[in-house]
Amino acid sequence: MKDIKVLMSGCKCSQKFYDLVVKTVNGHGIDAKVERVDDIVEVMQYNTMTLPALVVDGVLVARGQKDEAELLAILTK
């Protein structure tokens, strides 16, 4: 099972990205747990200033908005 964290701020675009990650995981049967991370102290541990960002199994794999096809490619590696 993959551990997916969506690093996000409180803006609507971050919420939209989180929703898309959940939709992609559920819609494609990816075995994963998706967690939203909006605590700035935890976000800063990943050394990124660009949000939203995507962390898979402890590794920062994407920054900024992605579409469903890009997310699927990232999550099925």
Side-chain angles (χ1 to χ4, degrees):
M1 175 185 286
K2 292 183 184 212
D3 179 36
I4 300 172
K5 294 183 181 186
V6 179
L7 309 181
M8 51 194 293
S9 62
C11 70
K12 288 183 182 182
C13 66
S14 287
Q15 181 61 47
K16 181 180 171 185
F17 183 71
Y18 172 79
D19 293 342
L20 182 60
V21 171
V22 171
K23 176 185 170 193
T24 303
V25 166
N26 292 337
H28 295 278
I30 298 170
D31 186 23
K33 177 186 81 170
V34 181
E35 174 185 355
R36 56 185 294 147
V37 178
D38 54 10
D39 175 49
I40 192 64
V41 174
E42 190 172 349
V43 168
M44 294 304 291
Q45 292 176 4
Y46 294 97
N47 199 29
T48 184
M49 296 299 290
T50 304
L51 297 177
L54 190 65
V55 175
V56 177
D57 295 330
V59 178
L60 182 67
V61 295
R63 294 178 181 97
Q65 292 291 338
K66 304 292 179 219
D67 62 28
E68 188 171 352
E70 291 172 309
L71 283 175
L72 187 58
I74 291 167
L75 297 175
T76 57
K77 283 185 181 180

